[in-house]
Amino acid sequence: MATRSADDKDRPSAGATGQQLIDRWRAGAVEHAYWSFGTDQLVQQLETSTSGLLSVDAATRLAKFGRNALTQRSSGSAFAVFVRQFRSPLVLILVFAAVVSVFVGEGHEAAIIGAIVLASCVLSFTQEYGASRAMEVLQQRISRKTTVLRDGFERSVDVETIVPGDVVCLSAGNLIPVDGVILESRDFNVSESVLTGETFPVVKSAGQSAPDAGIAQRTNAVFTGTSVRSGTAKVLAVATGTQTEFASIAEALKRRIPETEFARGIRMFGYLMTEIMLVIVVLVFFANVTLERPLIESLLFSLALAVGLTPELLPAIISVTLARGARTMAASGVIVRRLDAIENLGSMDLLCTDKTGTLTEGVIHLDGSFDVEGNPSNEVLLWARLNATLQTGLKNPLDEAITTAQPGQEDLSHFTKIDEIPYDFVRKRLSVAVRDEAREQTLITKGAIQNVLDACSFVQGPHGLKSLDLSEREAVDEKFRRWSAQGYRVLGLAIRRFRNKAGFSRDDETEMAFAGFLLFLDPPKEGVRETLSALVDRGIGVKVISGDNRYVAAHLADAVGLRSDRIMTGEDLSKLTKNGLLAGVRKTDLFVEIDPNQKERIVEALRRSGHVVGYLGDGINDAPALHEADIGISVDTAVDVAREAADIILLKRDLGVLVKGVDDGRRTFANTMKYISITTSANFGNMISMAAASLYLPFLPLLAKQILLNNFLADIPALAIASDNVDPDQLRRPRHWDIHFVRRFMISFGLVSSLFDFLTFAFLLYVVHAGASTFQTGWFVESLLTQLLILLVIRTRKTFWTSRPSRLLAALALTVGGIAIAIPYTPVANWLAMVPLPLPVLLGLLAITATYVLVSELTKHWLFDRGNGSRRGRENPHRDRATSKSVRLAG
């Protein structure tokens, strides 16, 4: 381990740190108005130093303070998940019914009900626990890192392991992980909109603020959840986790997050099923009591109807389907940060993206350095390399391209860095001041052509300086347009000489001499034309939103097969009203020379025009648009603020990976809707039939234990829906939740199911002349077989025998079907009050079941053909936001 530096001499050892520090914290010595303290006083109270903690001290504090997270990690133990299964109201009702049965002397009835309840809970537990463990593994793959000073050196650590007393190193793009005070900074600007609502970044620097200063007035402090827009800083961590300002308002912020379209649909579906269930249960119970049926038997029958009607495995089915979808997407290189984002990804019909790395290779290389006259220049390359190598702010591919171009050709050892003026998105320039062996100081500035020219009054030509007049500007602009039209990204470079200047600031970026051009090439990605075509085939349009100039963007669009004639520049956009932009975005494919706030305006306008918008970005200036989009998409190498704003993380910046993710999202949504459609249509019809039959027959059509067993067996194949095959035609267009269609689906198939139930009743009563036990056994078999077969019918929009289910689904359906037929002939039949069925009766029931399948197939085609047209006409272009982008909880 490293030896202690001079700054460490007053730092206590690990053993002296623990309880004393925690006691001081609890006493409020550090927590209260820490922003008003001097740096030395605060360092002393936190028992740390400006060079950070030792690793052993940090480990001790982590054990005392806990992890730096808004909510501490739950154990998520298997036992806790298992116990949670018994909190369901339906399960509690059945447990109550079993207890009542024991008290009235129906011990074997209670045993059967208890066994079925336990089996259902175990089934649900295995699915939910497996899904939660899978999601934990996926989340660990995208855990956030930050840089701190430990043992006197900069180290990358997990954000959750930061403790009070750590010194955190921040730069542009970082999401701030702690509340703390600034020890030192350089052009440090922080966006605090998540806490204060202020749109523009605020300048932060070391110092002291008044004890009663509000968050917005604490100019020497930074806070969890805010983000660095520009510059660098070292921050002393004072508060972490639940002690932060963000944690104190996080719960209120979360309460304001609107639910997703999918979650809202599930909630409305739950209301629908509850209303139907209550009406049926109450009516059936009182009707049976009125007919002088046994009270306990009538109660159990009514409660069993409630359970039979309710898709009690729906939460488990949704969890396992989404978790499996997330695992599948992860295998394809797409990490899901929020499970409900899977449905949003499948619903996306418009993708907005930058061009670098998605439409292009993303491996930018420096193609040339030229002087103001357009001639190759090694001097310009030297200045560019000094600027790119010595800057310590935001890392970017352009600087990497400069530093790796023709390595070793230029000797930089004769230069010493004096100062730096970091890049920001207003100036769009980066400056570095250096001193050579002759003690001459040079300020080297590079950036966007127009922004560099704005800082220039001269031109550095082959024969010395001359004034930057209109003709010189036009010459520079002509070269810029010509190179840009050839697909090059062009930066400008300028210099200014100084003598014995102590420090540099933005004010020194004046009266500079324009020295030359840097040309970068990022060719179109191989296969991107085919990928864009695949997105179009799936009903997803693509629009490019870029800060690059119109010439480069148009050249690339032509190369990859996008329209290049429908362009809107940032200048054009700034002149449009809200309604004007709404009309303009519909007929624009390329948005160029766009600033960060304009990206957000574009996405907002596209959403208002009726699109479900995905936005792909990885930079600081992409965060507002990622928040605004229905589905924010970033990459694993993105800056912190972009990753935290995103719903989906691509492990590889490739639209081909995104295409697979869209397919997986649509496949997950399709399989979730399969279960809802299957269980509601079959259960609704069966329960209506059973309720009606109970009023007509002199005995109950099915006993409570038979209903529960029927429902349990029917749910087993449904668990395999998560892995079911999905027809290609269901992946070709965006999918949306439609509660109206679900209701119509349930009623249509429920009526068909009830029709054949009544046909079964007639067959058993008037053809077979069945008694109570034979009738109950026959209908148990027929009801279970129809539920299994309707699963195979409804799972596809094609004719069911032309669409192959997954092997697991088919195997489970066949196995349960065999069990249904075999139960009456087994020893357990007596326990279930069943009797063996004569062969003619069994064959008659199979014939009714086969006819039911054919009629259901015809009903399916009629319903889908009719539903497609009505659903298209009813879609609301002003749907509520699919996701909340107002808040991302940090840490």
Side-chain angles (χ1 to χ4, degrees):
M1 187 173 69
T3 58
R4 290 187 172 222
S5 66
D7 288 328
D8 298 328
K9 63 186 179 191
D10 296 325
R11 183 192 293 138
S13 65
T17 299
Q19 195 57 49
Q20 292 177 359
L21 183 60
I22 200 75
D23 290 343
R24 282 188 178 183
W25 182 271
R26 287 172 176 167
V30 178
E31 183 179 13
H32 179 65
Y34 60 83
W35 52 88
S36 66
F37 295 172
T39 301
D40 292 341
Q41 180 184 1
L42 195 57
V43 166
Q44 183 179 6
Q45 289 199 5
L46 284 168
E47 299 186 358
T48 183
S49 79
T50 55
S51 61
L53 297 169
L54 295 177
S55 294
V56 64
D57 294 338
T60 301
R61 297 186 186 206
L62 182 62
K64 295 289 183 181
F65 288 108
R67 303 186 72 83
N68 179 32
L70 294 180
T71 55
Q72 296 302 317
R73 291 181 177 177
S74 60
S75 62
S77 66
F79 179 75
V81 175
F82 181 70
V83 170
R84 193 160 60 237
Q85 309 308 312
F86 292 88
R87 295 179 183 175
S88 165
L90 290 172
V91 172
L92 294 177
I93 287 172
L94 289 176
V95 171
F96 169 74
V99 172
V100 171
S101 298
V102 171
F103 277 105
V104 298
E106 297 287 343
H108 71 285
E109 187 90 7
I112 294 174
I113 293 175
I116 295 173
V117 169
L118 179 62
S120 296
C121 289
V122 168
L123 201 61
S124 182
F125 158 75
T126 57
Q127 301 302 312
E128 182 177 340
Y129 185 70
S132 64
R133 294 283 80 76
M135 285 310 302
E136 283 185 10
V137 172
L138 293 180
Q139 290 296 332
Q140 290 172 5
R141 295 180 63 176
I142 54 171
S143 60
R144 189 156 57 91
K145 302 289 185 180
T146 196
T147 301
V148 300
L149 295 180
R150 293 269 176 91
D151 305 316
F153 300 98
E154 290 189 0
R155 301 189 187 281
S156 178
V157 301
D158 192 302
V159 163
E160 291 194 2
T161 64
I162 300 176
V163 294
D166 264 323
V167 175
V168 184
C169 303
L170 300 172
S171 61
N174 288 158
L175 199 67
I176 296 174
V178 296
D179 288 5
V181 295
I182 297 172
L183 298 176
E184 60 182 72
S185 65
R186 179 71 178 175
D187 291 323
F188 194 56
N189 289 265
V190 176
S191 174
E192 294 185 325
S193 59
V194 69
L195 291 180
T196 66
E198 174 59 46
T199 302
F200 297 100
V202 293
V203 178
K204 298 281 187 174
S205 59
Q208 292 176 249
S209 299
D212 58 349
I215 291 177
Q217 285 73 48
R218 300 173 197 169
T219 56
N220 66 324
V222 294
F223 306 99
T224 298
T226 59
S227 58
V228 184
R229 293 290 292 174
S230 65
T232 59
K234 289 182 180 178
V235 170
L236 177 63
V238 177
T240 59
T242 57
Q243 300 294 324
T244 61
E245 296 284 352
F246 195 89
S248 66
I249 64 171
E251 289 302 316
L253 290 171
K254 285 196 291 186
R255 284 195 293 271
R256 295 201 299 266
I257 296 176
E259 62 187 342
T260 67
E261 182 190 42
F262 184 74
R264 184 171 58 255
I266 293 295
R267 178 171 55 82
M268 297 305 296
F269 171 72
Y271 290 159
L272 174 66
M273 299 307 297
T274 301
E275 291 168 1
I276 296 173
M277 179 187 71
L278 288 175
V279 171
I280 291 178
V281 169
V282 173
L283 288 179
V284 169
F285 174 71
F286 283 107
N288 277 277
V289 171
T290 302
L291 294 173
E292 298 182 351
R293 305 273 173 78
L295 180 64
I296 297 302
E297 194 173 86
S298 299
L299 175 63
L300 293 176
F301 176 74
S302 301
L303 295 177
L305 276 184
V307 176
L309 177 62
T310 305
E312 71 279 1
L313 286 183
L314 180 59
I317 292 292
I318 291 176
S319 295
V320 73
T321 303
L322 292 178
R324 187 182 187 280
R327 289 197 301 270
T328 302
M329 293 169 72
S332 302
V334 181
I335 300 296
V336 179
R337 295 187 70 241
R338 296 187 309 110
L339 278 180
D340 51 10
I342 294 177
E343 188 276 333
N344 297 336
L345 185 61
S347 301
M348 181 177 69
D349 61 13
L350 184 64
L351 175 66
C352 297
T353 178
D354 195 357
K355 61 184 186 60
T356 304
T358 52
L359 304 182
T360 66
E361 290 291 348
V363 183
I364 299 175
H365 63 270
L366 181 65
D367 202 63
S369 54
F370 301 90
D371 62 21
V372 292
E373 296 183 355
N375 301 314
S377 171
N378 287 331
E379 190 175 34
V380 170
L381 177 60
L382 171 62
W383 288 330
R385 187 165 290 158
L386 285 168
N387 179 285
T389 303
L390 299 178
Q391 74 97 5
T392 58
L394 180 65
K395 306 299 180 184
N396 66 82
L398 298 177
D399 286 330
E400 292 176 5
I402 294 171
T403 57
T404 57
Q406 301 175 334
Q409 190 174 15
E410 302 293 340
D411 185 5
L412 308 184
S413 61
H414 304 301
F415 297 88
T416 304
K417 179 180 177 181
I418 306 172
D419 209 340
E420 176 181 350
I421 309 172
Y423 181 89
D424 65 62
F425 292 97
V426 177
R427 292 165 40 251
K428 295 185 178 179
R429 299 188 295 260
L430 167 66
S431 297
V432 171
V434 298
R435 180 188 296 113
D436 61 19
E437 292 178 321
R439 308 291 296 176
E440 184 176 44
Q441 298 172 335
T442 304
L443 181 66
I444 307 169
T445 299
K446 77 172 190 308
I449 289 289
Q450 188 58 52
N451 297 73
V452 171
L453 281 175
D454 290 344
C456 293
S457 301
F458 306 97
V459 171
Q460 179 72 44
H463 307 294
L465 290 178
K466 57 181 178 177
S467 178
L468 178 62
D469 56 22
L470 181 60
S471 63
E472 291 293 343
R473 283 182 175 272
E474 289 178 346
V476 169
D477 192 51
E478 189 278 329
K479 293 181 180 67
F480 167 68
R481 287 198 306 268
R482 173 162 48 86
W483 280 323
S484 295
Q486 297 171 12
Y488 289 102
R489 181 168 183 179
V490 185
L491 294 187
L493 188 138
I495 62 170
R496 183 180 176 185
R497 312 283 188 182
F498 292 89
R499 279 282 184 184
N500 302 321
K501 185 172 176 57
F504 291 81
S505 68
R506 299 180 187 183
D507 295 336
D508 295 312
E509 292 179 336
T510 58
E511 299 185 357
M512 303 193 76
F514 188 83
F517 306 87
L518 300 169
L519 271 60
F520 300 87
L521 192 60
D522 186 14
K525 185 170 291 186
E526 185 177 355
V528 69
R529 182 185 289 264
E530 291 75 15
T531 303
L532 292 173
S533 178
L535 286 170
V536 172
D537 290 343
R538 287 159 175 78
I540 301 174
V542 178
K543 294 182 184 290
V544 177
I545 304 178
S546 175
D548 279 354
N549 67 78
R550 69 197 75 181
Y551 311 108
V552 173
H555 179 274
L556 177 66
D558 285 331
V560 300
L562 296 175
R563 292 189 62 167
S564 61
D565 57 330
R566 307 204 303 183
I567 296 179
M568 181 184 294
T569 66
E571 183 179 0
D572 297 333
L573 192 153
S574 64
K575 300 174 183 177
L576 294 176
T577 63
K578 192 171 185 178
N579 289 333
L581 180 59
L582 180 63
V585 295
R586 295 187 177 118
K587 52 187 178 182
T588 303
D589 294 307
L590 300 180
F591 298 90
V592 298
E593 302 166 21
I594 298 297
D595 69 36
N597 292 330
Q598 289 178 326
K599 290 183 179 183
E600 184 180 15
R601 283 190 65 197
I602 293 167
V603 172
E604 191 270 340
L606 289 169
R607 291 187 61 255
R608 285 202 300 132
S609 68
H611 291 288
V612 178
V613 181
Y615 183 85
L616 174 57
D618 65 351
I620 307 170
N621 57 351
D622 290 311
L626 286 165
H627 278 291
E628 178 63 32
D630 290 298
I631 179 77
I633 308 165
S634 193
V635 293
D636 193 38
T637 55
V639 297
D640 291 345
V641 68
R643 280 164 46 99
E644 290 300 307
D647 306 294
I648 300 288
I649 302 292
L650 305 183
L651 296 182
K652 182 180 179 183
R653 188 169 183 134
D654 185 354
L655 285 182
V657 173
L658 186 60
V659 170
K660 294 179 181 177
V662 168
D663 285 348
D664 290 332
R666 292 180 180 178
R667 189 175 290 111
T668 299
F669 179 74
N671 281 337
T672 304
M673 293 306 299
K674 282 179 189 178
Y675 175 76
I676 292 173
S677 299
I678 291 164
T679 190
T680 53
S681 58
N683 289 1
F684 180 70
N686 286 339
M687 297 309 108
I688 291 293
S689 303
M690 207 175 304
S694 69
L695 304 179
Y696 175 77
L697 297 173
F699 50 83
L700 291 177
L702 279 182
L703 300 178
K705 54 192 173 186
Q706 294 169 345
I707 296 175
L708 295 177
L709 180 61
N710 183 296
N711 195 49
F712 172 71
L713 292 174
D715 275 334
I716 292 176
L719 291 173
I721 289 177
S723 61
D724 190 26
N725 300 326
V726 176
D727 297 331
D729 63 304
Q730 295 193 54
L731 306 179
R732 290 176 186 158
R733 61 180 179 82
R735 306 294 303 276
H736 301 283
W737 177 273
D738 188 348
I739 188 63
H740 302 286
F741 187 73
V742 170
R743 184 186 296 114
R744 190 165 59 250
F745 199 97
M746 180 180 70
I747 294 173
S748 299
F749 278 92
L751 291 176
V752 171
S753 177
S754 292
L755 174 64
F756 279 87
D757 286 338
F758 293 138
L759 181 60
T760 302
F761 298 163
F763 170 72
L764 292 172
L765 290 175
Y766 304 116
V767 177
V768 178
H769 303 291
S773 296
T774 302
F775 182 95
Q776 291 163 349
T777 304
W779 196 31
F780 174 89
V781 172
E782 188 270 348
S783 174
L784 187 51
L785 289 178
T786 54
Q787 288 185 74
L788 296 172
L789 290 172
I790 199 65
L791 184 153
L792 300 177
V793 172
I794 295 178
R795 59 164 293 276
T796 175
R797 297 192 173 198
K798 296 181 178 180
T799 305
F800 80 91
W801 55 82
T802 64
S803 176
R804 180 177 299 176
S806 67
R807 291 183 178 179
L808 180 60
L809 179 60
L812 288 176
L814 289 174
T815 301
V816 173
I819 292 173
I821 295 173
I823 283 178
Y825 307 97
T826 63
V828 299
N830 288 334
W831 273 68
L832 297 171
M834 294 185 188
V835 295
L837 296 175
L839 183 59
V841 175
L842 184 59
L843 292 176
L845 294 175
L846 293 176
I848 293 173
T849 301
T851 308
Y852 165 71
V853 170
L854 293 176
V855 173
S856 296
E857 183 69 31
L858 295 174
T859 304
K860 176 183 70 177
H861 289 290
W862 170 80
L863 190 62
F864 280 129
D865 291 342
R866 182 171 176 267
N868 286 338
S870 63
R871 186 165 59 252
R872 282 193 297 269
R874 194 176 54 250
E875 284 186 350
N876 179 8
H878 302 292
R879 295 178 302 106
D880 291 339
R881 297 201 57 170
T883 66
S884 166
K885 303 300 165 115
S886 59
V887 177
R888 298 292 181 194
L889 303 185

